[in-house]
């Protein structure tokens, strides 16, 4: 059974563990800091009571930024990421978000292709943004609010 629910600061260890096994983006201290930011909503995608995906969404007025999105490697390419992203897009539309933003490494071709399936378009580039020297592609999706 697949479920998506908002998770809180008590789940930092869970977030850090999944991150360590996937994209290794943040330290435990950075996860703690993320939960304290204004407008942050953290969602967990669970399968049989085990979290297999996490998304950190930051809402600012009528825009939202996806600060983090990852699916456990064992569950990639099975539709779980698409299910999760569709849920997040519908949620944003329902709370009157006009624009959804994210950044992805230019070297992460699979992720960039994944986001393009949801009509995210590249609107800018941050040169040498990541630790490995790769550029960050700034992507946005315009939403139709209800």
């Amino acid at each position: 059974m697949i479920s998506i629910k908002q998770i809180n600061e008590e789940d930092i260890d869970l977030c850090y563990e999944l991150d360590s096994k996937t994209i290794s983006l943040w330290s435990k201290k950075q996860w703690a800091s993320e939960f304290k930011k204004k407008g942050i909503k953290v969602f967990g995608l669970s399968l049989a009571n085990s979290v297999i995906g996490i998304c950190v969404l930051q809402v600012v007025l009528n825009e939202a930024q996806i600060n983090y999105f990852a699916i456990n490697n064992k569950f990639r390419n099975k539709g779980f990421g698409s299910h999760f992203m569709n849920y997040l897009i519908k949620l944003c539309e329902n709370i009157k978000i006009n624009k959804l933003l994210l950044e992805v490494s230019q070297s992460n071709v699979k992720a960039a292709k994944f986001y393009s399936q949801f009509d995210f378009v590249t609107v800018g580039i941050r040169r040498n943004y990541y630790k490995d020297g790769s550029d960050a592609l700034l992507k946005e999706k315009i939403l139709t609010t209800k």
Side-chain angles (χ1 to χ4, degrees), residues 4-6 43 82-92:
I4 299 170
K5 67 174 184 163
Q6 197 163 343
F43 296 92
S82 295
H83 178 77
F84 203 12
M85 184 59 73
N86 282 321
Y87 171 89
L88 295 164
I89 290 168
K90 283 187 180 107
L91 172 83
C92 288

Side-chain angles (χ1 to χ4, degrees), residues 2 12-13 24 28 44 47-48 68 78 83 88 91 99 103 111 113 115 124 131 133 144:
I2 299 171
I12 286 175
D13 288 340
S24 298
K28 199 178 278 194
L47 178 65
Y68 183 90
K78 295 181 167 101
H83 178 77
L88 295 164
L91 172 83
K99 190 187 299 183
E103 331 175 313
K113 186 177 176 187
Y115 295 126
K131 291 179 221 171
T144 53

Side-chain angles (χ1 to χ4, degrees), residues 55 57 64-66 69 81 84-86 88-89 92 97-104 111-123 137-143:
C55 177
L57 191 69
Q65 166 92 18
I66 295 175
F69 186 92
F84 203 12
M85 184 59 73
N86 282 321
L88 295 164
I89 290 168
C92 288
I97 298 296
N98 295 330
K99 190 187 299 183
L100 194 51
L101 306 151
L102 60 84
E103 331 175 313
V104 63
K113 186 177 176 187
F114 172 78
Y115 295 126
S116 69
Q117 293 172 357
F118 297 93
D119 300 324
F120 280 90
V121 295
T122 301
V123 294
L137 301 177
L138 307 175
K139 296 194 167 278
E140 77 174 25
K141 175 179 176 58
I142 302 301
L143 302 176

Side-chain angles (χ1 to χ4, degrees), residues 37-136:
K37 289 181 181 175
K38 188 175 181 179
I40 286 291
K41 295 176 187 302
V42 182
F43 296 92
L45 171 70
S46 297
L47 178 65
N49 295 323
S50 186
V51 174
I52 63 165
I54 294 174
C55 177
V56 178
L57 191 69
Q58 187 169 17
V59 177
V60 179
L61 300 174
N62 62 349
E63 294 184 0
Q65 166 92 18
I66 295 175
N67 293 343
Y68 183 90
F69 186 92
I71 302 294
N72 180 312
N73 295 336
K74 292 190 303 190
F75 298 96
R76 290 185 181 172
N77 301 312
K78 295 181 167 101
F80 294 109
S82 295
H83 178 77
F84 203 12
M85 184 59 73
N86 282 321
Y87 171 89
L88 295 164
I89 290 168
K90 283 187 180 107
L91 172 83
C92 288
E93 288 173 343
N94 288 338
I95 61 172
K96 309 287 188 247
I97 298 296
N98 295 330
K99 190 187 299 183
L100 194 51
L101 306 151
L102 60 84
E103 331 175 313
V104 63
S105 172
Q106 189 171 26
S107 64
N108 192 344
V109 177
K110 274 190 168 186
K113 186 177 176 187
F114 172 78
Y115 295 126
S116 69
Q117 293 172 357
F118 297 93
D119 300 324
F120 280 90
V121 295
T122 301
V123 294
I125 296 175
R126 287 197 177 115
R127 300 276 175 217
N128 302 311
Y129 185 74
Y130 292 101
K131 291 179 221 171
D132 66 359
S134 63
D135 297 339

Side-chain angles (χ1 to χ4, degrees), residues 10-22:
E10 294 168 9
D11 298 309
I12 286 175
D13 288 340
L14 186 134
C15 294
Y16 177 70
E17 184 181 328
L18 185 112
D19 185 26
S20 302
K21 293 176 181 174
T22 55

